[in-house]
Amino acid sequence: MRTLAFAAALLAAPSLALPARAADDGDKVALPPGVELSVPKGMKYGWAIKPSKKPRAVPELFTIDRQGRPWFGMKGKVIANPIAGEIYQLKDGFRDLAWMHYGQLLVGNERSLGDLAFDMVAPNAQGLRNFPAALSPWIQLPGPEYKLYSGEGCGLFLAGKSPKSGKYGLIFLEIKDRHTDVRAKPARFLFESETPIHAVAGDCTQAWFAMGRVVAHLPFAAKKMEPLFAAGGEQIRELQASPHGFFYATDAAVGFFKDGSQYLFMKAPRARVRVRGDFLFVMFEDGSVFRMEGLAGFAKLGQTVKDARSKKSARNTP
């Protein structure tokens, strides 16, 4: 199978092979064609999954576990962890996956949300493990198109098109740890819209979600959505929240937003972004994963941009 061959190629690729390096040390990482990078001074970066010299398919799904290891979903049948050297084959397929804050991988198909059930297997001659696996269902999903978005420190967000109303809904499931009985806690319906929801971030008390090029903020208690910021002229495809601000991706670039200031720091076609702790992970079109450390540097840069704008405005005031 081509999917398994690609997964095996990813597992065989050197991972976490480059040491983190400062962005101003003059020793630049060779980026894939079409990718350009401009990050705050002193930021450290390197590869989590190195680029391949040979063309390879791009995983459809990308997530990061609690240890900062990339996981890929491919062709709706295979889940691969390149760094651990593990492949999980799901005979009945899946549509989405998300690593929870407490260290559990959740999987969704067209019908159900659950976790993985599998038997342990010994490594093969190449040191890789190939697990036959299945989705162990917890609850039924509200529709076949719902995607999974893990919350920060608590819960799981579901976003997708309702087959009943034909509208796009946002739902929150309170999941604190692996012992939570999701069936005993009612899902919290947050929002419904005629506009598709493309990305979601949040925690136990609030959600941020992207519709078109706009990101909106919805505190659970207020039950009122407010626009937070808008990207230039492109639809926001990815959204991640961090203590220092928001990271987002469009079809052309990766950017950062905080307190009214935006900063496009990477030109990267159709990149995927994930935040885990103080690290930002960016998956490129070739399946390689770039890792940046020290996200507070973006917040400081945003404040510098904001101060510069304020000074410019003051100079232009009569």
Side-chain angles (χ1 to χ4, degrees):
M1 292 175 59
R2 293 183 61 187
T3 303
L4 283 179
F6 170 58
L10 272 175
L11 298 179
S15 304
L16 298 174
L18 295 183
R21 59 195 70 195
D24 60 335
D25 66 0
D27 187 12
K28 295 183 178 180
V29 172
L31 297 171
V35 176
E36 298 177 8
L37 177 67
S38 176
V39 296
K41 184 177 181 180
M43 176 159 288
K44 297 179 180 179
Y45 52 76
W47 291 109
I49 303 292
K50 293 180 68 175
S52 173
K53 294 182 180 179
K54 298 180 180 179
R56 61 188 182 193
V58 182
E60 291 87 0
L61 302 174
F62 167 55
T63 186
I64 298 291
D65 67 19
R66 196 165 58 172
Q67 286 74 44
R69 301 177 301 183
W71 289 66
F72 300 120
M74 292 165 282
K75 306 297 182 184
K77 294 289 186 180
V78 172
I79 298 173
N81 175 355
I83 293 174
E86 298 173 350
I87 297 174
Y88 299 81
Q89 294 186 67
L90 281 75
K91 181 178 64 174
D92 296 327
F94 63 96
R95 286 182 59 87
D96 205 4
L97 54 114
W99 267 102
M100 298 298 289
H101 65 282
Y102 57 85
Q104 186 175 28
L105 180 65
L106 298 189
V107 181
N109 59 23
E110 293 184 352
R111 301 174 301 278
S112 305
L113 167 72
D115 60 358
L116 282 182
F118 58 91
D119 294 325
M120 296 301 295
V121 297
N124 63 18
Q126 290 74 42
L128 310 179
R129 290 187 291 176
N130 194 336
F131 299 92
L135 187 151
S136 177
W138 292 0
I139 59 171
Q140 184 175 347
L141 290 173
E145 299 181 12
Y146 274 73
K147 291 185 65 62
L148 316 180
Y149 301 92
S150 57
E152 181 60 37
C154 166
L156 180 75
F157 293 91
L158 309 175
K161 188 175 183 178
S162 168
K164 293 183 178 180
S165 67
K167 296 182 179 180
Y168 298 88
L170 180 61
I171 298 169
F172 176 72
L173 301 176
E174 185 178 345
I175 307 175
K176 294 184 177 180
D177 54 43
R178 64 178 65 248
H179 304 296
T180 299
D181 184 355
V182 181
R183 290 163 291 193
K185 291 181 175 289
R188 185 195 289 258
F189 179 81
L190 299 176
F191 180 74
E192 194 171 55
S193 169
E194 301 282 353
T195 305
I197 299 170
H198 298 292
V200 183
D203 56 30
C204 302
T205 63
Q206 59 194 329
W208 299 275
F209 50 95
M211 297 186 298
R213 65 185 191 88
V214 177
V215 170
H217 178 215
L218 179 63
F220 294 173
K223 298 181 181 180
K224 183 180 179 182
M225 178 187 73
E226 295 182 352
L228 183 64
F229 71 94
E234 294 189 328
Q235 174 179 298
I236 295 174
R237 300 169 56 255
E238 301 270 314
L239 179 67
Q240 294 282 289
S242 81
H244 309 294
F246 298 89
F247 294 89
Y248 64 95
T250 69
D251 277 340
V254 179
F256 173 80
F257 171 87
K258 183 179 182 181
D259 298 336
S261 294
Q262 288 178 253
Y263 173 53
L264 290 175
F265 61 90
M266 180 181 287
K267 177 184 176 184
R270 290 169 291 281
R272 310 282 185 88
V273 296
R274 296 291 181 269
V275 169
R276 184 64 70 183
D278 198 33
F279 293 87
L280 173 69
F281 296 83
V282 182
M283 187 183 83
F284 298 130
E285 285 187 296
D286 64 352
S288 61
V289 180
F290 194 68
R291 182 189 62 220
M292 287 176 275
E293 180 183 2
L295 304 187
F298 285 101
K300 294 176 182 177
L301 181 62
Q303 186 61 46
T304 301
V305 173
K306 190 173 182 179
D307 290 346
R309 288 175 178 169
S310 298
K311 291 178 181 178
K312 182 177 180 181
S313 176
R315 288 197 300 268
N316 294 334
T317 302

